[in-house]
Amino acid sequence: MNLTPRQLDVLVAIRNYRHLHGYAPTMQELADQLGTSKVTIFEHVGALERKRVLRRDKHKARSLEIIADELLPDEERSTKLPLLGNIAAGAPIEAVENREDLDLETMFHSKHGVYVLRIRGESMIDDHLCDGDYVVIERRENAKSGEQIVALIDGQEATLKRFYKESGGKVRLQPANKSMEPRVLEADRVKVQGVVIGVLRSY
């Protein structure tokens, strides 16, 4: 796309923000995320508009839209892994008759959109979600009691917990760690940002 490294950073930041929130960032949010000034962001966005990879409605705060056909550099790797067979403890591998691929993007596809977060801490360890694991999140604003969710508390603190509806207009955010206490909060203080649909772990 003939972009500078900083222009690529801006595009990646816009894409990631849209995946996480479901809408585009403001210029100030982009500046804060990239550690630069709002004026500099306006300059980069203007250059990206001229290169026809970004579109913006000057009368709307959250109108940034990536329109380039090419993939961004971090999207060019394949999400497919070879699927060679089935295995059970104590039995030989049952080979797959025809060569198949396990496509992670297809496996975790959702019409609502998905994104991945890396876990930090051990508050969900009893659910086998460990520090360093990657959780696949389906972007949703509603959850059922018992689901593992990404919760945004008071618009500032993001946390991964099990979600339960309580009486009196409250919700309980339950850690999966016997040494930690749940948090019971007014429902309007908690915004559901997504629900866990998968976990990835490397050794």
Side-chain angles (χ1 to χ4, degrees):
M1 288 186 281
N2 191 30
L3 305 180
T4 68
R6 201 54 173 162
Q7 288 169 357
L8 283 171
D9 288 343
V10 171
L11 283 184
V12 169
I14 293 169
R15 181 206 61 194
N16 291 349
Y17 193 99
R18 290 185 69 104
H19 280 319
L20 184 59
H21 298 280
Y23 50 81
T26 64
M27 296 294 193
Q28 187 60 60
E29 286 166 341
L30 265 182
D32 293 343
Q33 186 174 342
L34 294 172
T36 188
S37 69
K38 190 174 177 181
V39 172
T40 300
I41 291 298
F42 269 105
E43 292 173 354
H44 287 313
V45 167
L48 289 166
E49 286 183 283
R50 291 190 292 275
K51 292 182 178 181
R52 300 184 184 278
V53 295
L54 193 65
R55 180 163 51 210
R56 177 173 72 100
D57 185 337
K58 294 180 175 57
H59 303 292
K60 294 181 181 179
R62 297 187 182 276
S63 63
L64 292 170
E65 181 183 0
I66 298 172
I67 57 174
D69 293 330
E70 295 94 336
L71 295 174
L72 293 175
D74 62 347
E75 297 174 330
E76 292 175 356
R77 295 190 181 96
S78 174
T79 60
K80 294 182 179 181
L81 298 171
L83 177 62
L84 300 184
N86 305 309
I87 188 168
I93 292 176
E94 178 188 343
V96 175
E97 291 185 7
N98 299 311
R99 168 64 183 269
E100 296 182 29
D101 287 316
L102 179 64
D103 190 331
L104 299 180
E105 188 172 353
T106 300
M107 182 177 181
F108 295 114
H109 173 75
S110 167
K111 65 180 180 180
H112 303 292
V114 298
Y115 57 92
V116 176
L117 297 172
R118 180 185 293 155
I119 295 176
R120 285 288 177 251
E122 298 189 344
S123 67
M124 298 299 288
I125 193 136
D126 292 341
D127 278 354
H128 308 289
L129 300 179
C130 305
D131 184 69
D133 286 351
Y134 296 88
V135 281
V136 183
I137 308 296
E138 178 183 25
R139 190 172 63 230
R140 275 200 263 147
E141 295 183 357
N142 298 292
K144 300 175 184 176
S145 282
E147 288 188 310
Q148 299 161 331
I149 70 160
V150 176
L152 185 66
I153 303 172
D154 296 331
Q156 297 179 337
E157 177 190 354
T159 185
L160 181 68
K161 297 290 184 290
R162 281 199 179 271
F163 171 85
Y164 294 93
K165 295 180 181 178
E166 300 283 313
S167 60
K170 297 180 183 294
V171 298
R172 171 164 47 97
L173 300 179
Q174 180 73 45
N177 185 324
K178 295 181 179 63
S179 68
M180 297 182 179
E181 296 294 325
R183 296 177 68 176
V184 179
L185 303 165
E186 298 291 338
D188 60 3
R189 293 181 58 193
V190 178
K191 180 181 179 182
V192 177
Q193 292 195 307
V195 176
V196 175
I197 60 172
V199 59
L200 302 170
R201 178 179 299 161
S202 60
Y203 295 95

